[in-house]
Amino acid sequence: LTLMLLWCPALTSLTIGNGNKIGVSGATAIAQYCQRLTSLTIGAGNKIGSDGAKAIAERCQDLTSLTIGHGNKIGGVGATAIAEHCRCLTSLTIGADNSIDSDGAAAIAEHCEWLNYFSVESWTFDRSGQGATRHEEYMSITALKSHSNVRISIGGLTLMLLWCPALTSLTIGNGNKIGVSGATAIAQYCQRLTSLTIGAGNKIGSDGAKAIAERCQDLTSLTIGHGNKIGGVGATAIAEHCRCLTSLTIGADNSIDSDGAAAIAEHCEWLNYFSVESWTFDRSGQGATRHEEYMSITALKSHSNVRISIGGLTLMLLW
């Protein structure tokens, strides 16, 4: 690598293919010998780490396009260095499994204001050739949706939320495992939300549900997919704080227990769409609230093999 860089001193564009494992030493060589670069791609699995990313950022400050493939583990330190030193960037791609964390996300959000192409994990915005910068475009975005099963990092999620302060609708796809930290970021940066979907298997837990409920009190529609384990504590917090809800979906394996069920039954009186496990009632657009409709029901039948929780069963019986 060093030999090629020494022999090509006029390089302005360099691509290192996937899986070459150039490591920190390779990234340092690029930083030392290629300071005229305007375009650099480090493919997936090159393992340059935070030190490698930092070396490149500090010496290759004329970069307008930078791609860091997945699995390079640049971390928050590397992402911060890129944001602080590469002020000419108009195109930035950071693949998954780079662990840019909240600090790296905050640095990119603060310093990379001229990007017109940006991709981090499943989030991609392309305004290249349109004359509009990231700042101008993102400020007006009100709805955002992620793909499923891309394992969004807390850094990637935080970055998108910081860049889209006008969000009123957010969907996190299934299986992204955003966890409590991701749910807390949503609660911190998205307090204007009216619609929120947390897909199945994101494992936000009771603490994550509680954080969202306490800060996102303008929600009118909330979906918690199966397997998020919000428990009775999370369900109770949603019922007590989200008083504007007209649509509520809680998937299976959330363990809302009897206490959570009782809280929903007591406080969520304006629902006209409700689904918990196999129980679904849809009166949306018909003008009737849950309370008016359910009070007259005399017969109820569940589906088979849905493993009804004590919380779900209790809620239907109370209603």
Side-chain angles (χ1 to χ4, degrees):
L1 176 63
T2 301
L3 183 55
M4 295 314 300
L5 301 181
L6 284 168
W7 271 358
C8 303
L11 281 182
T12 57
S13 178
L14 175 65
T15 297
I16 305 294
N18 299 336
N20 283 301
K21 300 180 182 179
I22 65 169
V24 176
S25 57
T28 303
I30 292 169
Q32 183 174 354
Y33 301 116
C34 296
Q35 295 176 31
R36 298 173 64 181
L37 287 178
T38 57
S39 176
L40 174 62
T41 296
I42 305 289
N46 275 292
K47 301 182 178 181
I48 66 171
S50 57
D51 287 341
K54 189 169 182 284
I56 289 170
E58 289 175 349
R59 294 205 178 189
C60 300
Q61 296 187 22
D62 291 334
L63 285 169
T64 58
S65 175
L66 176 62
T67 296
I68 306 289
H70 70 263
N72 274 291
K73 311 281 187 184
I74 67 171
V77 171
T80 299
I82 290 168
E84 291 180 347
H85 295 287
C86 299
R87 297 298 185 89
C88 298
L89 284 176
T90 58
S91 175
L92 176 62
T93 299
I94 300 176
D97 197 22
N98 271 295
S99 308
I100 66 173
D101 72 36
S102 295
D103 290 339
I108 293 172
E110 179 182 356
H111 298 297
C112 296
E113 59 185 303
W114 303 113
L115 293 178
N116 50 35
Y117 179 88
F118 173 75
S119 178
V120 59
E121 294 151 350
S122 70
W123 315 99
T124 298
F125 290 89
D126 186 0
R127 302 297 183 270
S128 52
Q130 297 180 34
T133 65
R134 185 277 307 172
H135 182 75
E136 294 168 336
E137 289 285 334
Y138 296 0
M139 287 296 285
S140 62
I141 290 174
T142 57
L144 202 58
K145 181 178 182 180
S146 80
H147 297 295
S148 297
N149 302 310
V150 289
R151 300 190 65 176
I152 301 168
S153 71
I154 182 59
L157 178 61
T158 300
L159 182 54
M160 296 316 301
L161 301 182
L162 284 169
W163 270 358
C164 302
L167 282 182
T168 57
S169 176
L170 175 65
T171 297
I172 304 295
N174 300 335
N176 283 304
K177 300 180 181 178
I178 64 170
V180 177
S181 58
T184 302
I186 292 170
Q188 182 175 355
Y189 300 116
C190 296
Q191 295 175 32
R192 298 173 63 181
L193 287 177
T194 57
S195 176
L196 174 63
T197 296
I198 305 288
N202 275 291
K203 301 182 178 180
I204 66 171
S206 57
D207 288 342
K210 189 169 182 284
I212 289 170
E214 289 177 348
R215 294 205 177 188
C216 301
Q217 296 188 23
D218 292 335
L219 286 169
T220 57
S221 175
L222 176 62
T223 297
I224 306 290
H226 70 262
N228 274 291
K229 311 281 187 185
I230 68 170
V233 171
T236 298
I238 290 168
E240 291 180 346
H241 295 286
C242 299
R243 298 297 186 89
C244 299
L245 284 175
T246 57
S247 175
L248 176 63
T249 299
I250 300 176
D253 196 22
N254 271 295
S255 308
I256 65 173
D257 72 33
S258 296
D259 290 338
I264 293 173
E266 179 182 356
H267 298 295
C268 296
E269 59 185 303
W270 302 112
L271 294 178
N272 50 36
Y273 179 89
F274 174 74
S275 178
V276 60
E277 295 151 350
S278 69
W279 315 101
T280 299
F281 289 88
D282 186 0
R283 301 297 183 270
S284 52
Q286 298 180 34
T289 65
R290 185 277 307 170
H291 182 76
E292 294 168 337
E293 288 284 335
Y294 296 180
M295 288 295 286
S296 61
I297 290 174
T298 57
L300 203 58
K301 182 179 180 180
S302 80
H303 296 294
S304 299
N305 303 311
V306 288
R307 300 186 64 179
I308 301 167
S309 72
I310 182 61
L313 178 60
T314 300
L315 182 54
M316 295 318 300
L317 302 180
L318 285 168
W319 270 357

